[in-house]
Amino acid sequence: MPRRNSFIVFGLLLLAIAGGAYWRFGRGPLVTAVPATRGTAAEIVYATGGVEPVLWAKVASVVRDRIVDICRCEGTQVKKGDVLARLDDREIAAGLKELKAREQFLLNEMSRVSQLIAKGAATTQAYERAGMDLQTVQGLIAVQTEKIADYVIPSPMDGMVLRRDGEVGEIAEAGQILFRVGVPTPLQVVAEVNEEDIPRVALGQVVLFRTDAFPGRRLEGKVGEITPMGDINAKTFRVKMALPDDTPLKPGMSVEANIVTREKENALLVPADAVQGNAVFVLDGARLRKRAVTIGIRGTRTVEILDGLKDGERIASPATANFADGGRVRVAPAP
């Protein structure tokens, strides 16, 4: 008798598990019922870029040497020619000093030889030789003087020091950017657009930006410049997008750019993830009914339906590869 009871209990347990599995999975996947609604359809070109001033310059060292002085001037205004940093020029200055001493010696030598020639005690050949040596030294002095100027790093323009990189004692490499100087406004976004998308981009188009620094905030700009020649390796074209003066974006921020290439108001819209090819799945109670539709503007989040669907009809979202006409689903209300 106890053994028979255990079989009964085990059987009931299996039935309960099977019933739970059917309740959980046999009724189909959980989907959200989303009604087709009217709104503005927008076709966009996506790109990523960074915010930078329209007028600015990167200030780099042209020689490799140690930084001996650098201004504490981030956020301050500077004039063109103001000294931003100095590198250690002791070695090259010593070489210049030696050349100038050699120059003075040759000048004195030419004066001495000239006096001897006047007395008939020397030939003009000695004078000419000293003159050639003097010209050589003076040429070296000119070259050395230009080189020593490279050890002083000036501001190339009037503006604000937007960023400083480097400290006293560090070695500045040739080509290393030490400062960024520019005019804080106006700002622009510089982005790279894939070459297959560039035919749809035109001057004056509205651009919508998104950045984690300002979640949910509408940030706009306009296409202001399209580079005439693309990057053959990256297969992109550089696009500059003007920002309004009151933009909260700051130089150096990274943004996602959505260039609006086409808009249509009062369009019938459904979520983009509810469209499978050229079809949607209309909800008929707990069943799916596959419906062929005509697609209009495809946006990143919504798709325009030109034909095949009516206002307010509920469709299943998101559509998956497992969906089939007549399939069963569990319907959750739209959020």
Side-chain angles (χ1 to χ4, degrees):
M1 207 46 190
R3 188 173 182 181
R4 183 182 176 186
N5 288 341
S6 65
F7 277 118
I8 293 172
V9 171
F10 183 69
L12 291 174
L13 181 60
L14 288 177
L15 286 173
I17 293 173
Y22 172 78
W23 181 258
R24 179 71 177 85
F25 301 105
R27 296 183 302 138
L30 182 66
V31 299
T32 300
V34 180
T37 57
R38 293 280 171 179
T40 301
E43 183 179 75
I44 64 100
V45 167
Y46 176 83
T48 58
V51 181
E52 61 182 48
V54 173
L55 299 174
W56 72 300
K58 297 175 182 178
V59 186
S61 173
V62 297
V63 296
R64 182 185 187 276
D65 221 308
R66 189 177 305 278
I67 300 171
V68 294
D69 188 25
I70 194 165
C71 73
R72 305 288 172 178
C73 49
E74 279 186 331
T76 63
Q77 295 289 331
V78 292
K79 294 290 186 180
K80 181 178 180 179
D82 285 353
V83 175
L84 302 178
R86 297 180 187 274
L87 305 183
D88 189 352
D89 64 355
R90 287 177 296 177
E91 182 177 345
I92 195 169
L96 181 59
K97 184 178 180 181
E98 183 179 339
L99 287 171
K100 287 186 175 181
R102 176 68 177 165
E103 178 189 34
Q104 188 59 51
F105 170 80
L106 290 171
L107 287 170
N108 294 338
E109 180 67 10
M110 289 182 68
S111 177
R112 185 183 71 81
V113 172
S114 179
Q115 293 175 8
L116 291 175
I117 291 173
K119 296 177 181 179
T123 65
T124 57
Q125 186 177 10
Y127 183 85
E128 290 173 353
R129 185 169 53 250
M132 291 176 62
D133 289 343
L134 178 62
Q135 288 180 1
T136 299
V137 169
Q138 287 176 336
L140 292 174
I141 288 174
V143 171
Q144 202 80 339
T145 301
E146 287 186 9
K147 285 184 178 180
I148 203 168
D150 292 336
Y151 286 72
V152 177
I153 301 175
S155 174
M157 61 181 292
D158 294 351
M160 177 185 290
V161 178
L162 303 170
R163 183 182 174 101
R164 175 181 66 88
D165 292 298
E167 295 292 342
V168 171
E170 293 180 351
I171 299 295
E173 300 291 341
Q176 178 183 343
I177 298 171
L178 297 177
F179 297 90
R180 290 164 176 83
V181 180
V183 181
T185 57
L187 297 175
Q188 63 184 358
V189 170
V190 179
E192 298 291 332
V193 175
N194 290 335
E195 62 181 14
E196 63 266 25
D197 293 326
I198 204 67
R200 294 187 286 147
V201 179
L203 298 178
Q205 288 175 334
V206 173
V207 187
L208 303 176
F209 301 105
R210 197 192 75 81
T211 175
D212 292 338
F214 300 100
R217 183 166 177 175
R218 184 179 177 88
L219 303 168
E220 287 191 18
K222 286 188 177 181
V223 176
E225 183 180 329
I226 304 170
T227 182
M229 181 176 178
D231 186 326
I232 195 170
N233 295 316
K235 296 183 178 180
T236 59
F237 280 73
R238 182 178 297 115
V239 177
K240 295 182 179 180
M241 309 159 194
L243 294 171
D245 289 341
D246 61 352
T247 181
L249 297 174
K250 296 183 179 297
M253 282 186 171
S254 60
V255 296
E256 296 177 2
N258 295 294
I259 305 170
V260 181
T261 60
R262 187 158 60 118
E263 279 189 300
K264 182 179 177 181
E265 295 182 355
N266 197 34
L268 188 62
L269 303 176
V270 298
D273 62 7
V275 180
Q276 192 178 89
N278 289 318
V280 296
F281 290 87
V282 179
L283 288 168
D284 181 11
R287 297 282 181 180
L288 295 173
R289 303 300 177 194
K290 189 173 183 178
R291 179 91 57 86
V293 293
T294 303
I295 303 297
I297 295 176
R298 288 183 181 268
T300 54
R301 296 184 180 180
T302 59
V303 172
E304 178 193 13
I305 304 298
L306 297 174
D307 190 35
L309 198 64
K310 296 179 181 178
D311 289 41
E313 281 194 284
R314 301 189 311 156
I315 60 174
S317 179
T320 68
N322 297 325
F323 279 10
D325 190 24
R328 183 183 291 274
V329 292
R330 292 174 294 133
V331 181

